[in-house]
Amino acid sequence: MGLKILLPDADITYIENFYAKDDADKLYQQLTQTLAWRQDDIRMFGKTMKIPRLQAWYGDNNLRYRYSNMTLVAMPWTASLLSLKTKVSDYCQHDFNAVLANMYRNQHDSVGWHSDNEPELGEMPVIASLSFGAKRDFQLKHIKTQEKKNLILDSGSLLIMQGETQNYWQHCLPKRARTIMPRINLTFRKITR
Ligand SMILES: O=C(O)CCC(=O)C(=O)O
Ligand SMILES: [Mn+2]
């Protein structure tokens, strides 16, 4: 199971039907209704702005995660997040202890170019990313060569980025002009300090 995305300095696998479409639809509804979605502020260039998406941070007791000058304190696992984490951890043979949930409400919501390389994730983090709801483009860009790759993340899919990926590649989820329905993304992570 799973498709290796063949790129230099990366170890990326895409599993399109990690969840069957019916299950993915149910999970999308459940997560929409049960997670504590909020729109946080971000400080950039001395200005405070709303991030262009909703998010929620869950994990083992009070784990903290800092990025873009925000400190998120983990809320306790919900039952559905815990069962998703167990399935993803079993598949990846990796012990995740936190998840960042993102809700892209429409085509105007996005996440800019970045690597998941915060110090608390350690040197070669394993990032496991589940998608539910509308399909979105997910772009990758090599930091040195600027090589680009576009993936389409479908509902029920799992994307695993590991090895050197975060050290050489950035990724983003771009805004789009055409109408796009909401999408939920869960990125499971392991905070190591
Ligand atoms: O929504 C996605 O697929 C990517 C989210 C992401 O890169 C992140 O939360 O770090
Ligand atoms: Mn990311």
Side-chain angles (χ1 to χ4, degrees):
M1 201 171 33
L3 178 72
K4 277 267 171 220
I5 308 294
L6 295 173
L7 292 174
D9 309 318
D11 183 344
I12 305 176
T13 306
Y14 179 66
I15 302 105
E16 181 165 293
N17 287 300
F18 191 70
Y19 284 97
K21 288 285 171 276
D22 286 2
D23 294 337
D25 288 348
K26 286 189 198 113
L27 286 162
Y28 169 78
Q29 295 297 340
Q30 201 174 58
L31 294 164
T32 301
Q33 288 158 18
T34 59
L35 300 193
W37 299 107
R38 54 182 220 196
Q39 190 174 17
D40 288 308
D41 290 323
I42 180 176
R43 268 191 82 74
M44 260 169 76
F45 314 117
K47 278 206 290 194
T48 302
M49 303 184 264
K50 295 250 173 260
I51 57 164
R53 62 190 175 276
L54 307 182
Q55 61 183 22
W57 172 242
Y58 290 84
D60 293 357
N61 42 19
N62 298 324
L63 275 176
R64 277 157 199 278
Y65 188 55
R66 247 187 316 279
Y67 85 111
S68 297
N69 290 322
M70 284 185 272
T71 300
L72 304 173
V73 180
M75 290 177 278
W77 294 99
T78 66
S80 38
L81 285 177
L82 208 50
S83 82
L84 293 164
K85 183 190 76 148
T86 303
K87 185 168 152 89
V88 170
S89 291
D90 286 352
Y91 183 82
C92 298
Q93 291 293 299
H94 190 74
D95 198 15
F96 300 102
N97 59 13
V99 64
L100 180 63
N102 289 301
M103 159 72 84
Y104 304 89
R105 294 161 294 182
N106 54 43
Q107 66 279 12
H108 304 302
D109 276 355
S110 62
V111 63
W113 287 111
H114 69 281
S115 304
D116 295 341
N117 59 356
E118 287 74 19
E120 52 265 61
L121 297 176
E123 300 222 321
M124 292 210 262
V126 181
I127 308 287
S129 161
L130 281 177
S131 296
F132 299 105
K135 290 180 196 181
R136 291 286 299 248
D137 289 328
F138 178 87
Q139 300 184 333
L140 289 147
K141 181 171 73 182
H142 193 287
I143 294 166
K144 296 206 171 111
T145 67
Q146 310 296 312
E147 178 179 352
K148 274 198 177 185
K149 173 82 182 171
N150 192 73
L151 303 176
I152 299 170
L153 302 184
D154 205 348
S155 187
S157 71
L158 175 66
L159 182 77
I160 306 164
M161 297 185 278
Q162 56 190 333
E164 292 283 7
T165 309
Q166 303 305 323
N167 299 326
Y168 287 92
W169 293 80
Q170 292 188 323
H171 53 272
C172 75
L173 197 99
K175 292 184 205 308
R176 286 293 180 239
R178 68 184 167 84
T179 304
I180 304 182
M181 298 304 282
R183 166 180 183 265
I184 289 174
N185 175 259
L186 304 176
T187 53
F188 292 91
R189 296 147 190 256
K190 184 173 185 178
I191 305 295
T192 55
R193 51 157 227 215

